[in-house]
């Protein structure tokens, strides 16, 4: 029974990188980094060596070989060397009868881990086989070395050495590698769908912007032709030039705002005013609303609403909700989207986006924000999923009210900063 408890504890330590990955990267669009792998493996190695398995004083077993192999597969050789230094330092500090055996086993298993990790990265077709060989090797090598150096110990503790130790290493490496790979592949799939969603949004907005930009350019062209007429007065010429300058400025603003949603978002958070962000998004989405025969109506109290956020992420969030609202009422006559922004109890900023569109059923309301759910035939739902995650990561909240055939209202609350 004691062996089972110790094996289960070591398996728990082996899953630390997987658990921390799911916690830390849950609301992030980025995938794991080598620094993350190194830090989590160091934590895992320290914990497993501190609460090691042992049936004889001085001879200890833990999940070290599994962690080193995992660290080299996902973090590279640098991570492996850092873990090697950590193990050597801590094992020497622990000391005991099995120190010499541990060093010999480490020399063999470390070099084997280097070889297997290289094969794992280069031979994707044989990854399951390589993982199996790694688990088998990390179970057999320690027993063989100990049988040569401490044969009496191996014979006296056959159950632990030939049952508990192989299960601990083989099952540990299989669980950690397979679960971590699954989590990483799911994140990559999410990123792919997210990029497709963003490209689709940009394509839709670009089509309406092209139409909107053409209007001021046509006006500028007309006024320039008038200016060539020598019969008009200097005052009128200057007036026409002023109009041309204003139209070009308006075009520049529209294009600048459009480019800001197309460029990659950086993970830098800063204190920012929500009102200008909303105004810039309205400039972007107005042509799209016009193209869909939908009226945009904006209300705000004119005061500053400061939050801590990434401007590009907030801009994309607002675009996602407003675009969805426009599309929800594009197929009805007199479609309208009303956007309100105001402080709420001096604690949070409240953004309300109301449309008089097709509405949502109770079943659709329950599934809103879940990955890959969309009410649109060609939608993936990833944009809305990311928006929900972003709101929660900022300690905000979102509430939805909807009636089929009458419209939908999203109420977003984001905490204000002092």
């Amino acid at each position: 029974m004691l062996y089972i408890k110790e094996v289960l504890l070591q398996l728990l330590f082996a899953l630390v990188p997987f658990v921390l990955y799911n916690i830390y990267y849950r609301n992030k669009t980025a995938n794991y980094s080598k620094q993350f792998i190194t830090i989590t493996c160091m934590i895992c190695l320290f914990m497993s060596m501190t609460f090691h398995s042992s049936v004889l004083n001085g001879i200890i077993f833990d999940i070290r070989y599994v962690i080193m192999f995992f660290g080299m597969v996902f973090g590279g050789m640098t991570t492996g060397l850092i873990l090697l230094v950590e193990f050597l330092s801590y094992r020497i500090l622990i000391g005991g009868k099995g120190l010499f055996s541990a060093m010999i086993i480490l020399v063999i298993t470390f070099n084997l881990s280097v070889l297997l990790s290289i094969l794992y990265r280069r031979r994707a077709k044989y990854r399951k086989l390589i993982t199996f060989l790694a688990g088998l090797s990390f179970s057999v090598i320690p027993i063989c070395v100990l049988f040569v150096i401490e044969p009496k110990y191996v014979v006296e503790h056959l159950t632990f050495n030939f049952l508990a130790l192989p299960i601990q290493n083989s099952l540990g490496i299989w669980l950690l590698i397979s679960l971590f790979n699954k989590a990483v592949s799911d994140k990559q799939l999410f990123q792919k769908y997210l990029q497709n969603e963003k490209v689709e949004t940009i394509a839709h907005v670009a089509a309406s912007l092209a139409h909107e930009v053409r209007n001021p350019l046509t006006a500028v062209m007309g006024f320039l032709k008038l200016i060539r007429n020598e019969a008009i007065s200097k005052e009128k010429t200057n007036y026409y030039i002023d109009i041309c300058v204003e139209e070009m400025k308006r075009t520049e603003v529209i294009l600048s705002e459009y480019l800001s949603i197309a460029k990659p978002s950086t993970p830098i958070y800063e204190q920012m005013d929500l009102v200008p962000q909303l105004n810039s998004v309205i400039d972007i989405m107005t042509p799209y609303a016009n193209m869909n025969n939908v009226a945009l109506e904006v209300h705000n109290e004119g005061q500053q609403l400061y939050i801590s956020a990434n401007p590009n992420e907030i801009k994309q969030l607002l675009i996602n909700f407003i675009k969805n609202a426009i599309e929800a009422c594009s197929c009805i006559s007199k479609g309208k989207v009303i956007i309100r922004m105001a402080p709420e109890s001096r604690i949070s900023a409240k953004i309300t986006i109301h449309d008089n569109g097709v509405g949502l059923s109770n079943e659709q309301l329950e599934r809103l924000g879940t990955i890959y759910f969309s009410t649109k035939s060609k939608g993936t739902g990833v944009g809305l999923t990311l928006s929900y995650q972003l709101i929660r990561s900022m300690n905000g909240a979102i509430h939805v009210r909807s009636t089929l055939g009458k419209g939908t209202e999203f109420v977003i609350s984001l905490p204000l900063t002092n």
Side-chain angles (χ1 to χ4, degrees), residues 358-362 365 400-404 407-409:
V358 293
L360 300 168
S361 66
N362 290 332
L365 279 173
V400 190
R401 292 188 291 269
S402 185
T403 305
L404 274 174
T408 305
E409 182 177 85

Side-chain angles (χ1 to χ4, degrees), residues 257-274:
E257 294 299 339
Y258 168 70
L259 289 172
S260 72
I261 70 165
K263 68 182 180 181
S265 175
T266 55
I268 300 172
Y269 277 56
E270 61 185 60
Q271 192 178 47
M272 47 162 278
D273 187 0
L274 263 177

Side-chain angles (χ1 to χ4, degrees), residues 13-224:
F13 293 144
L15 294 177
V16 167
F18 166 72
V19 174
L20 292 180
Y21 173 82
N22 281 283
I23 294 172
Y24 184 74
Y25 285 97
R26 173 184 291 179
N27 295 320
K28 294 181 181 292
T29 54
N31 218 325
Y32 72 91
S33 63
K34 290 185 178 180
Q35 291 83 356
F36 171 82
I37 296 295
T38 303
I39 293 169
T40 53
C41 285
M42 288 178 69
I43 294 170
C44 181
L45 185 62
F46 177 79
M47 291 171 64
S48 66
M49 291 181 69
T50 302
F51 303 98
H52 53 257
S53 304
S54 178
V55 290
L56 183 66
N57 188 33
I59 299 179
I60 66 173
F61 291 96
D62 46 58
I63 213 78
R64 74 190 73 155
Y65 314 118
V66 173
I67 294 303
M68 284 191 179
F69 176 68
F70 170 82
M72 279 187 266
V73 166
F74 293 96
M77 193 62 191
T78 303
T79 300
L81 291 172
I82 292 172
L83 293 174
L84 177 64
V85 172
E86 180 188 11
F87 170 75
L88 288 172
S89 304
Y90 199 16
R91 188 63 185 87
I92 291 170
L93 182 64
I94 293 173
K97 184 179 178 181
L99 179 60
F100 178 69
S101 302
M103 295 304 165
I104 295 176
I105 295 169
L106 180 65
V107 170
I108 301 171
T109 55
F110 183 81
N111 286 291
L112 181 63
S113 294
V114 172
L115 175 63
L116 290 176
S117 64
I118 293 172
L119 290 173
Y120 186 93
R121 289 193 296 269
R122 293 181 180 178
R123 306 286 184 181
K125 188 178 178 181
Y126 301 104
R127 283 180 176 176
K128 289 184 179 179
L129 176 61
I130 294 168
T131 303
F132 171 76
L133 289 175
L136 183 65
S137 302
F138 299 152
S139 301
V140 172
I141 291 170
I143 296 172
C144 293
V145 172
L146 282 170
F147 187 77
V148 173
I149 299 174
E150 300 282 349
K152 185 179 178 181
Y153 158 78
V154 176
V155 173
E156 289 178 353
H157 302 94
L158 288 175
T159 305
F160 180 82
N161 290 309
F162 287 93
L163 185 61
L165 185 61
I167 290 174
Q168 176 178 294
N169 287 321
S170 300
L171 188 57
I173 200 166
W174 179 77
L175 282 174
L176 179 56
I177 296 288
S178 59
L179 289 176
F180 193 83
N181 265 327
K182 180 68 168 60
V184 169
S185 62
D186 285 348
K187 174 67 77 172
Q188 289 172 341
L189 185 63
F190 176 80
Q191 289 175 317
K192 180 181 177 181
Y193 274 105
L194 177 61
Q195 186 61 31
N196 291 341
E197 184 91 0
K198 189 169 182 178
V199 168
E200 184 183 352
T201 298
I202 292 172
H204 287 173
V205 177
S208 59
L209 282 176
H211 175 75
E212 189 71 9
V213 168
R214 194 177 289 117
N215 292 336
L217 289 179
T218 303
V220 169
M221 188 182 299
F223 283 117
L224 288 175

Side-chain angles (χ1 to χ4, degrees), residues 338-352:
I338 302 172
I339 302 127
R340 292 186 177 90
M341 183 177 287
E344 185 179 31
S345 304
R346 298 184 180 179
I347 298 173
S348 60
K350 184 170 79 171
I351 307 165
T352 304

